[in-house]
Structures are given as C-alpha cells and as structure tokens.
Amino acid sequence: MKLRNLKPTLILLILFGTFHLFYDVIYENHLGEGTDSDILYPYLFSRDFWTGGWAGVSGWNLPPCTTIFPDLVFGLIAYPIVSSVYWFHLVFGFLVFCLPFALARSLGLAKRFSYLVSLGFLLFAGLDPNQLGQFYFPSFHAMTFFFVIWTLFELDHWNPKKGIVWFRFLILMTLVWISEYWFFINFAPFLIFYSLVRLRWQSFGPFSMGFVGYHLAKSIGKGLRWVGIGTIGSDNLTYFTKLMDTVQPILIDPYSVWQGLFHSLTNQEVLSDWIYWYLVIGSLFVFLSLFRNQGKEFFLDLVFYLSPLITIFLLYTIQIEPNIRYLYILPFGILYFSLRLIESIPFLRMGIPIILMIGCFWYYLGKHSELTTMVKAGETKRNHRLECLTEFDPNLPGVSTYWPIKYIYAFSDKPWTLVPFTKDGVYYPWVANSSWDGNLKNQPFDSFSWGVTESKEKLAEWKGVSLVKACEGWYFFRRN
C-alpha cells in the first residue's frame, strides 16, 4: 500500500473501531434478530473450498449476480485467516465501510469531508439496520461502489495508445457483467456521460470493451456451469423483455405510467423518505451550482444527481420493486451533496468536519447502552434457535425452506444435513451446494421425518406434519 493511502486507511480503521457498535447492531439484526442467509453464501462457499477443495464447491449454485469478484475472491483469501463467522464479516464490513469514502474522493470531495460520508453511511445503517445494514454484507450489491471507483480511475487514466489500459478495462467490464450488473442499473448513465465528457471520441474504447466484456462474461458463466458451479445466464433473465413491454405504454399513456411509478414509491414509506431528502438536498446543490461557472463539472454533477432517478424508473419498467439495496446511491448522495454544499462555503469548510465528527461521537455515546442491548438480543435469539435445533438428531436428514439452511450450516458445529424445499414441497437448489444433499435431493418432500421452516403458512397443507416447536421465527415440525 502506498504511504499516501496508509493514513486514510488508518483513520477509517479508527473510525470503524470507534463506532463498531453500529456494525454489531447491523450484524445481529440480520444474523440474530433475522436469518438473512444470503449474507452467508461467500463465507460457506469459501469454507467448502478450504475444507473440500474443488469437489467441495463443484455443487454450488450461484445467484444471478454471482459476486464472484470481489466478494467470493475476498472470502477465499480471508477464510484461512478469519474463519469465524463474525470476524469474517467484520473484516468485509470494514472494507465496505471504506467504499463511500473512496467514491466521494473519486468524485472530488476533500478527504476531511469524505471521512464523514463513510461515517454518516454507517450511522444511517446502524439506525436502520434492516434496510441499510445489508450494505455491509457480501452478496448485497455494495461492491457496485467498488466497481464505480475502479471505472472512474480507468477513465481518468485512459490512454488508447497503451494496450494494458484496454486490457484492464476489459477485465473490469467482464467482472462487472459476471459479478454485479446492478452496476449498470445504478451508475451507467453517469459513467457514460462521464466518459463522453472526459474522453470524447476516445470513449469508443471503454464502450467497446464493455461490449466485449459482456460476451466474455457469458462464456465464463457457461464454463462455470460446465465444471459444476451453477449460474443463471443472462439468457434466463427477462429484464430486457419487460423493458420492451413497457415502451408502448410510455408512448401511449405516459401519465398512467407516472401514476404507477409514483404509487409504487409512496407505498414504501422508508424508501420514499430517502427519495424525498435526496431530492431536497440534491436539488438545492444543483440550484446553487447554477451560479458558479463550472461548465463540464456542473453537467457531470447534474447527471450524477439524476442517476438514481433514472435507476428508479428502470426498476419500475423491468417490474422490480424498488429496494434500498438497489439504491444505495440515495443515502450516499444525501451525504455527498450535503457535504459538497458545506465545502463550498469558505468559513465553514475547515471547522465543520471536526464539529460533525464530535457530534457523531457524542450521539454514539448517548446511544451506547441501547445499541448494546440490541446486540445482546440478537445473540440471544441466535443461540435460542440453535438450542431448539439440538432436539433433533443431527445424523437424521431433514428438510428446510430457504432461509434456515445456510444459517444452520454456518453457526452450528453439528453435522446437519438439510435438503432445501420450497413451501410447495419442491426441491429448491438456489443458492446452495447441491453436494450437501447428495442423493437426498431426489427424494420426495414427504419422505423426510422432520424439518424447519421460517413460515408456518403451509404446515396445515403438508400431509402428516405437526408443529413441535416455535422458536424465534422458526417452526420445527415432525412427520407423524
């Protein structure tokens, strides 16, 4: 690491350590209060690799955004060093904590304000862990920020005469297409215009590498399926078809489309609040920027401001319910534009960062006992679930609906074998390692003598099944 990068990293580490209870609350919200098992997929994949080699992972099925890079790569590197579930995710959480700082710096914000972007994001997430807390875990699209930072770096250093530049951008686009294509939904408009403004006709190079990277990623996905690691190829996704189906209503009756979009947003109280504050603060920033002679910089700021609004519209057109994990740019933008406004006022730009930092710490001290209680509550619920599980024989295979399986494999030290089934009694391999199941996946749902589900809505429909234990949102059943 270069010396100039060491100081910011140490400052970020100190901030993360100082305010660590916010992260612990996030962790216990998803893996204590809840059982958000998607978080555990990189951890379990890495554990299977280090304990069973290639054979240990050859039965895995990966989600549509595979997050092979950097989430899985991080996992494979980190697991031999930090093999406990908590420390594995704590290290990942710190890496993600650094991303808002790095993105704000890439966009030109001063260091002293960029630290506040990362700290503010952690504070937001600690106060609303169920919504924003997913940002600090693998598999939940936080690494979109990482790819944007990388893209901005490559565009700023683009030189069409150097072959290594073309090669790096090809690698970048290939990794994006196979790992995290929500990158395009969130940031493509801004990055396209950024490329056109910075590079003009030379932007043909990055665009062409993006096109080649898409086809290379498809080939890699087919290769992974050939060696036994399942992926959902882009051919299986219907987003483009849905987008085309929406074009005609937009042209014929745009008002109805606008009403539908507005209704879908106002139905989600938390998301609508984020959008409201983003519009207020971002619009104020754009309005004040009109009075400065910034030229290209103002245009890029305006496109960046409009990017999440374009994303919301795209989510609606491809019929995906807007969710904050697809729109982390909203809380980031609120922090970023707020601090850009403060930075533009000469007599505030020096002292305000220190005052805000002290204010955050003072607020944290006031919340300390409440945060500690929330952490202990999550730990208690996790331990209670695992205690309830011990009433069953770990050598006797059972069935489970989606959420409990990876959770049990991660936190229990007993040799459980749980076969994933849907609530309709159909085998459900995503996202799991089918080698865990062996030949059991070919057996019918009603051949298993016990199981666990996170919802009891179907228990009455399952033949010969009786509920024997309700435990922290899990329902254990036996077959009579």
Side-chain angles (χ1 to χ4, degrees), residues 59-348:
W60 268 88
N61 291 302
L62 307 184
C65 284
T66 62
T67 62
I68 289 174
F69 185 88
D71 303 53
L72 271 188
V73 172
F74 160 82
L76 293 171
I77 295 171
Y79 182 82
I81 305 169
V82 282
S83 58
S84 78
V85 184
Y86 173 77
W87 282 99
F88 179 94
H89 292 96
L90 181 69
V91 174
F92 185 89
F94 170 68
L95 295 177
V96 173
F97 173 75
C98 297
L99 293 180
F101 166 85
L103 180 54
R105 289 290 296 138
S106 298
L107 295 171
L109 192 66
K111 283 184 182 179
R112 57 183 176 274
F113 290 99
S114 296
Y115 293 124
L116 286 167
V117 176
S118 275
L119 179 57
F121 208 119
L122 180 63
L123 191 147
F124 284 166
L127 297 177
D128 188 7
N130 192 50
Q131 290 283 329
L132 276 181
Q134 292 176 332
F135 179 76
Y136 293 90
F137 291 113
S139 313
F140 280 105
H141 311 299
M143 286 301 171
T144 296
F145 281 21
F146 170 83
F147 284 118
V148 174
I149 296 162
W150 187 358
T151 304
L152 289 171
F153 174 84
E154 295 295 348
L155 293 177
D156 286 340
H157 294 82
W158 183 261
N159 185 342
K161 296 179 180 179
K162 294 183 178 180
I164 188 64
V165 173
W166 291 74
F167 178 72
R168 286 203 313 254
F169 207 86
L170 174 60
I171 296 297
L172 166 61
M173 288 294 103
T174 302
L175 291 172
V176 169
W177 278 116
I178 197 170
S179 298
E180 190 58 270
Y181 46 74
W182 284 107
F183 164 92
F184 295 103
I185 300 294
N186 279 281
F187 288 99
F190 168 68
L191 292 172
I192 288 171
F193 281 104
Y194 189 93
S195 178
L196 289 170
V197 169
R198 295 293 189 195
L199 304 178
R200 298 182 182 178
W201 66 268
Q202 292 182 7
S203 59
F204 169 79
F207 293 156
S208 63
M209 290 300 95
F211 179 77
V212 175
Y214 168 75
H215 291 281
L216 185 56
K218 287 183 66 174
S219 299
I220 292 173
K222 291 178 181 178
L224 288 171
R225 292 192 289 274
W226 183 73
V227 297
I229 297 179
T231 64
I232 297 180
S234 57
D235 295 339
N236 300 105
L237 303 176
T238 59
Y239 299 148
F240 186 75
T241 302
K242 292 177 180 178
L243 181 61
M244 291 298 100
D245 290 342
T246 314
V247 170
Q248 186 176 359
I250 292 174
L251 296 175
I252 296 175
D253 190 4
Y255 180 70
S256 295
V257 174
W258 162 250
Q259 280 188 316
L261 175 60
F262 183 78
H263 180 71
S264 70
L265 294 176
T266 53
N267 277 346
Q268 300 184 64
E269 183 178 349
V270 175
L271 185 59
S272 62
D273 288 342
W274 284 113
I275 294 170
Y276 171 78
W277 284 110
Y278 181 85
L279 290 172
V280 169
I281 295 170
S283 297
L284 179 61
F285 171 81
V286 170
F287 175 74
L288 294 178
S289 296
L290 286 171
F291 297 97
R292 302 191 189 96
N293 185 21
Q294 292 181 309
K296 294 178 180 179
E297 297 303 322
F298 169 76
F299 176 73
L300 291 175
D301 285 337
L302 177 62
V303 174
F304 184 80
Y305 165 67
L306 294 174
S307 288
L309 308 181
I310 297 171
T311 298
I312 291 167
F313 179 73
L314 286 173
L315 290 173
Y316 177 76
T317 57
I318 60 179
Q319 301 172 37
I320 291 182
E321 184 179 22
N323 187 296
I324 197 64
R325 71 175 179 269
Y326 304 137
L327 291 163
Y328 294 134
I329 190 174
L330 289 176
F332 173 85
I334 289 171
L335 292 163
Y336 172 73
F337 287 122
S338 297
L339 293 167
R340 282 285 299 274
L341 285 169
I342 295 173
E343 188 185 33
S344 66
I345 304 174
F347 61 89
L348 290 179

Side-chain angles (χ1 to χ4, degrees), residues 56 81 201 289 362 367 447 469:
I81 305 169
W201 66 268
S289 296
W362 190 261
K367 297 282 290 185
S447 67
K469 193 89 172 180

